[in-house]
Structure formats: C-alpha cells, structure tokens
Amino acid sequence: AQSVSQHNHHVILSEAASLELGCNYSYGGTVNLFWYVQYPGQHLQLLLKYFSGDPLVKGIKGFEAEFIKSKFSFNLRKPSVQWSDTAEYFCAVILFSGGYNKLIFGAGTRLAVHP
Amino acid sequence: SQTIHQWPATLVQPVGSPLSLECTVEGTSNPNLYWYRQAAGRGLQLLFYSVGIGQISSEVPQNLSASRPQDRQFILSSKKLLLSDSGFYLCAWSESPWQSYLNTEAFFGQGTRLTVV
C-alpha cells in the first residue's frame, strides 16, 4: 500500500543544533514531494516542494530537503534551528497513477527547540 | 485565482446526531478533492478523495461518508456521530494530472474543529 513514513515522532533539540527529519515513501511511480509545518495553534504552511530537477530543494526559513530517488526519501534539514522552529512537521507526497493524483501525509514529527 | 471555502469553522455535536461539512472550490475546474482528519498525535489521515463528480474513494473504513454532487463541491457526512469522530477536518484540492502535467500541489481549507459530546 502507498504510504509515507516519518521516522521520528518527537525530536528535542537545543538552539543552534542541526536538524534532519527523515521521510520515506512507498510508491514506485511519479511523485511530487512536500514538507509542511504547523506551528502551535496555526494552520498548515508549505515549507518547500519538489516537482522535478535539482534534487536539493530550498524552502522558506532556512529549510532545505533532498530527494534521493533510489532511497525513496525526502529528508528535511536545517543547519541551525531556532526556538521559533518549534512546531509539527509533515512530509507529504502526491502520487500520480493513471488519471488521478492522491496526496498522502506522514504521521508528523513534533519538534521542540529549547533555548 | 483559486480559493477554497470550508465551513463551519467549529462545530459541537451530540453523539448520535448527523454531520454535514461542506467544502467548495472556486477558480478551477475538475479538481481532485480530498478530506483529511487530524486527530491529536496521529497526523493527517486521508479519509476520502474524489477525481470527479460522483467518484469517491474511501481510504479508511469508518463512520463517515463523502459525496461530490457538483464539480467543485465536496461534502463530508455522517448519519450518527461517535465520540471518536471528534477531530480537525481539513478539505483540500489539487489540479488533476491532465491540468498540472505532473507538477501540482495541494491547497487547503481553513478546517473544521468538530467536537462530539
């Protein structure tokens, strides 16, 4: 079955630490890939997206992600986190199959950044 | 430009009562439409998606149903709500592959916070 897996459910970091959140998907066809962030009490916000081309994608707020097709992965990174990055992060994939596409999400990773 | 409307924003319903949440999209045609539920600690779970009028795919067995009576209207319903139906419900749309040429993203409504009491 098609799925998106986020390896870490909870991550705790200190400010200035580096961040890497894992995301893997199970689907052999064409995909578009996304990372969303949800700050406490707020709606989903798109961090970055990958459609095609350069597998290293830069997004807002200093985030970047790398698509590794052979590993079916799209990990999110940030070199130095800030307290304001405390939020829940969702990896999402649009799968293309025949005449439709379907958007599915990972279960999310809660990031807490301590000053 | 395209917009998506979802209502109501909040809803408190007693157990056993019916439910109808509505989502409409403007500024596009033949969108793919989705209903998600976000329950505490469980991420965004895809409930239903639709590629056209009357075409509904259910992702998980549950107490809910969906309908698409018009091209840009997507309705989430229940005949009798359960306590476990409480959560945050999110409608979304994306372009069909024929429109997007395989480059597409999703756009979300503001969500409905449903509390079943």
Side-chain angles (χ1 to χ4, degrees):
Chain A
Q2 304 139 350
S3 65
V4 178
S5 300
Q6 291 183 239
H7 313 303
N8 311 98
H9 295 295
H10 292 91
V11 173
I12 302 173
L13 295 173
S14 299
E15 275 193 320
S18 63
L19 170 72
E20 181 160 2
L21 302 182
C23 173
N24 286 88
Y25 63 94
S26 60
Y27 183 67
T30 301
V31 294
N32 290 168
L33 300 159
F34 309 88
W35 276 97
Y36 290 89
V37 61
Q38 188 172 32
Y39 297 103
Q42 297 188 25
H43 296 299
L44 283 176
Q45 182 179 359
L46 181 66
L47 270 180
L48 47 80
K49 59 188 177 186
Y50 173 81
F51 290 164
S52 62
D54 188 344
L56 186 61
V57 180
K58 294 193 184 298
I60 62 172
K61 306 188 180 190
F63 286 91
E64 65 178 30
E66 184 176 13
F67 172 47
I68 303 179
K69 189 173 182 179
S70 61
K71 295 185 178 180
F72 300 92
S73 70
F74 190 55
N75 292 355
L76 180 72
R77 299 194 291 250
K78 185 170 184 178
S80 176
V81 295
Q82 301 171 315
W83 175 79
S84 57
D85 293 322
T86 295
E88 189 160 18
Y89 293 81
F90 294 95
C91 180
V93 178
I94 287 185
L95 318 168
F96 293 90
S97 177
Y100 72 91
N101 55 52
K102 184 165 69 172
L103 170 66
I104 58 175
F105 284 82
T109 298
R110 287 186 183 272
L111 171 66
V113 180
H114 293 184
Chain B
S1 63
Q2 303 94 348
T3 56
I4 178 169
H5 303 281
Q6 183 182 343
W7 68 93
T10 59
L11 191 59
V12 180
Q13 291 283 97
V15 168
S17 65
L19 173 73
S20 180
L21 303 181
E22 189 162 344
C23 174
T24 59
V25 181
E26 296 177 357
T28 188
S29 58
N30 197 32
N32 289 166
L33 295 170
Y34 309 85
W35 278 110
Y36 296 89
R37 176 169 58 204
Q38 187 175 20
R42 295 189 63 185
L44 277 149
Q45 183 182 33
L46 178 61
L47 302 176
F48 302 95
Y49 72 95
S50 171
V51 300
I53 295 174
Q55 300 178 65
I56 310 294
S57 296
S58 175
E59 289 293 296
V60 292
Q62 60 201 311
N63 184 42
L64 301 168
S65 62
S67 61
R68 184 170 177 173
Q70 301 180 45
D71 182 45
R72 289 168 288 180
Q73 183 185 28
F74 204 24
I75 298 172
L76 184 69
S77 304
S78 174
K79 292 182 179 178
K80 289 185 178 182
L81 283 169
L82 306 172
L83 286 174
S84 58
D85 292 324
S86 293
F88 187 70
Y89 290 84
L90 204 56
C91 180
W93 76 273
S94 66
E95 288 184 318
S96 69
W98 315 120
Q99 296 168 311
S100 67
Y101 302 101
L102 304 184
N103 291 342
T104 190
E105 62 181 282
F107 302 91
F108 296 90
Q110 291 298 296
T112 298
R113 174 73 59 190
L114 171 66
T115 304
V116 182
V117 296

